[in-house]
Amino acid sequence: MTTLAHGADTLTRDALTVLQPGFVGTTAPDWLLRRLGEGLASVGLFGRNITSPEQLAALTAQLRAEYDEVLVAIDEEGGDVTRLEVRTGSSYPGNHALGAVDDVELTREVAHALGRRLAECGVNLNWAPSADVNANPSNPVIGVRSFGADPDLVARHTAAYVSGLQAAGVAACTKHFPGHGDTAVDSHHALPRIDAAQSVLQARDVAPFRAAIAADTKAIMTAHILVPALDGDHPATLSRRVLTDLLRKDLGYDGLIVTDGIEMQAIAATYGIGRGSALAIAAGADAICVGGGLADDETVRHLRDALVLAVHSGELPEERLADAAARVRRLAAWTATCTPESGDGTPADIGLVAARRALTLTRSTTYEPVSAPPFVAAFTPVANIAVGAETPWGVAAELARLCPGTETASFSGEEAGQAALAAAGSRRIVAVVRDEHRHPWMGTALDTLLAARSDTIVVEMGIPQSPPRGACP
């Protein structure tokens, strides 16, 4: 059923239509249902909204009972960034693992399987895949979310992922345009800057988005980054040169343009979320993602009113807002009429198949198999906001299942190695690290462990940039 609010004018409806807000809870609050009746056309889901596939299906059915063509979006990349399995870890490997295998058909199968799971739960828009080329090994927010550092590899796997996801009836939202890979700053916290020449940007960062467009990606998400070679005054999300001139005109893209979370500090700290939203729509964006950090009716009303005020003040042309709203409705119509491909030929455990193929072993002549329950020392960096601290990582849970009696603890800081040695006692140590090359204290901890216990097994679960070491079969 579609419920319409009587007396809601077209401008206000369009302002609501371009918003993609989140909410708190596992059922839709009354305020959200009311906004759906007034013109809101999209809802964003996060880990806080999901406890099981059955609960998620009931939630999306509740939303569609209020507005049958609602876009239900989610941030489900697999790997680190999972909302479906936020408390247990994803059943599907992330982009870096798929890029390491470099089998585009496997990537397509994984994306298709993930898309089928989303579609079965009533989700029809996925803020994925990440098409960022991880050109900066010190990148704090992309890393394993990228297929890799080679533009051609990233391009072909981005296209395969888009194809697989959309074949399942779920719209892909390729991100983060024009490319967030060459940054050393997390845009959740501040505004990153990429000082690369335009020729480099075109050949490296933009190339995967060309591939995504050729694969008919239904949406593209912007990056909150400053790229002086493209626009020295405005972040990409707020830049007409980036969104309209480059993406629309030069690349010929005609789908939905979605902003990254507008409450992220790269935008909110300088422009505020209201003015930032108006500037983004004026620059060429069609939808405002919000709700990762702000998830209430007050936020929705604030953004709605800011867009209406921007039209009245002349900062945002009314026809631009109307065009943005029309693009949202067009995507909603596509999801409602898309006929998904069957996936009968894909193994049910395709995620496990892909994860096993992504493993790389480095061998030691002195290796001896683990013969007793080990001690797992997890050297734990701070999780970035995109991943979230609630999603588990590491190998301890699986080792404990396979080898009862396994114990584990987390360590960080300059004394992490000594603390791990003391905690392990005489037990064999499995040291689990994540991006050792980005954390000097982590390298120091491994030095300490290996000097004292050369039989320590080291598992790198991030980007394997540092030389491999430790005992391994």
Side-chain angles (χ1 to χ4, degrees), residues 138-142 145 176 180 183-193 224-225 260 264-267 382-387 438:
S138 297
N139 196 312
V141 69
I142 301 301
R145 300 168 66 195
H176 306 80
H180 207 310
T183 61
V185 172
D186 183 346
S187 52
H188 289 90
H189 302 298
L191 179 63
R193 176 185 175 114
H224 300 330
I225 57 175
D260 205 347
M264 293 164 61
Q265 290 302 295
I267 300 297
V382 176
N384 68 61
I385 292 176
V387 175
R438 292 202 302 115

Side-chain angles (χ1 to χ4, degrees), residues 19 92 290 308 363 383:
L19 302 181
Y92 301 94
V290 67
V308 171
R363 300 188 177 273

Side-chain angles (χ1 to χ4, degrees), residues 256-278:
L256 191 76
I257 300 176
V258 183
T259 72
D260 205 347
I262 205 69
E263 74 271 34
M264 293 164 61
Q265 290 302 295
I267 300 297
T270 301
Y271 299 91
I273 63 170
R275 185 158 186 265
S277 296

Side-chain angles (χ1 to χ4, degrees), residues 64-440:
R64 290 202 167 84
E66 194 62 37
Y67 179 45
D68 49 6
E69 288 195 356
V70 64
L71 285 172
V72 181
I74 200 168
D75 202 8
E76 183 61 47
E77 300 177 15
D80 275 6
V81 180
T82 178
R83 312 307 177 199
L84 290 179
E85 300 175 279
V86 67
R87 292 166 189 84
T88 59
S90 179
S91 300
Y92 301 94
N95 284 4
H96 186 75
L98 295 172
V101 177
D102 195 15
D103 179 341
V104 292
E105 184 55 32
L106 178 67
T107 294
R108 188 186 187 281
E109 289 179 358
V110 168
H112 189 243
L114 179 56
R116 290 182 69 192
R117 182 176 290 190
L118 291 171
E120 288 167 0
C121 295
V123 176
N124 55 10
L125 172 61
N126 191 9
W127 292 318
S130 168
D132 306 297
V133 178
N134 199 55
N136 186 343
S138 297
N139 196 312
V141 69
I142 301 301
V144 293
R145 300 168 66 195
S146 167
F147 289 111
D150 175 65
D152 291 337
L153 179 145
V154 175
R156 60 179 174 266
H157 285 277
T158 295
Y161 199 105
V162 168
S163 174
L165 192 63
Q166 293 186 168
V170 176
C173 183
T174 306
K175 60 190 183 186
H176 306 80
F177 188 81
H180 207 310
D182 191 16
T183 61
V185 172
D186 183 346
S187 52
H188 289 90
H189 302 298
L191 179 63
R193 176 185 175 114
I194 296 180
D195 287 308
Q198 187 163 161
S199 58
V200 173
L201 296 169
Q202 289 284 352
R204 182 188 66 190
D205 300 280
V206 176
F209 292 95
R210 289 196 191 92
I213 293 168
D216 195 29
T217 186
K218 298 301 178 183
I220 286 178
M221 179 175 280
T222 69
H224 300 330
I225 57 175
L226 187 67
V227 188
L230 301 176
D231 187 333
D233 300 320
H234 305 97
T237 295
L238 311 183
S239 171
R240 182 175 177 82
R241 293 180 190 173
V242 173
L243 302 187
T244 297
D245 295 344
L246 176 57
L247 184 52
R248 289 282 187 224
K249 295 179 181 177
D250 294 353
L251 300 182
Y253 177 65
D254 193 41
L256 191 76
I257 300 176
V258 183
T259 72
D260 205 347
I262 205 69
E263 74 271 34
M264 293 164 61
Q265 290 302 295
I267 300 297
T270 301
Y271 299 91
I273 63 170
R275 185 158 186 265
S277 296
L279 291 173
I281 299 294
D286 305 306
I288 305 296
C289 174
V290 67
L294 299 174
D296 51 37
D297 190 34
E298 182 180 356
T299 298
V300 172
R301 286 186 283 111
H302 174 64
L303 296 183
R304 176 201 64 189
D305 294 347
L307 292 171
V308 171
L309 180 61
V311 171
H312 289 316
S313 71
E315 188 172 42
L316 172 59
E318 185 172 0
E319 59 271 20
R320 171 76 274 274
L321 179 60
D323 173 64
R327 290 180 186 276
V328 173
R329 297 181 190 114
R330 185 196 309 170
L331 180 56
W334 177 84
T335 64
T337 58
C338 175
T339 302
E341 290 181 7
S342 66
D344 296 340
T346 300
D349 60 349
I350 188 63
L352 180 59
V353 169
R356 283 174 170 165
R357 288 184 63 186
L359 288 174
T360 299
L361 298 181
T362 55
R363 300 188 177 273
S364 168
T365 56
T366 60
Y367 173 76
E368 292 185 8
V370 173
S371 57
F375 181 82
V376 179
F379 295 106
T380 310
V382 176
N384 68 61
I385 292 176
V387 175
E390 69 271 40
T391 302
W393 70 283
V395 301
E398 287 302 305
L399 273 179
R401 182 176 64 83
L402 295 170
C403 193
T406 295
E407 295 185 21
T408 185
S410 296
F411 306 91
S412 62
E414 296 303 319
E415 302 302 319
Q418 290 294 346
L421 281 174
S426 61
R427 285 164 292 184
R428 183 81 174 272
I429 298 174
V430 177
V432 184
V433 297
R434 188 181 185 115
D435 293 347
E436 181 199 341
H437 66 281
R438 292 202 302 115
H439 304 285

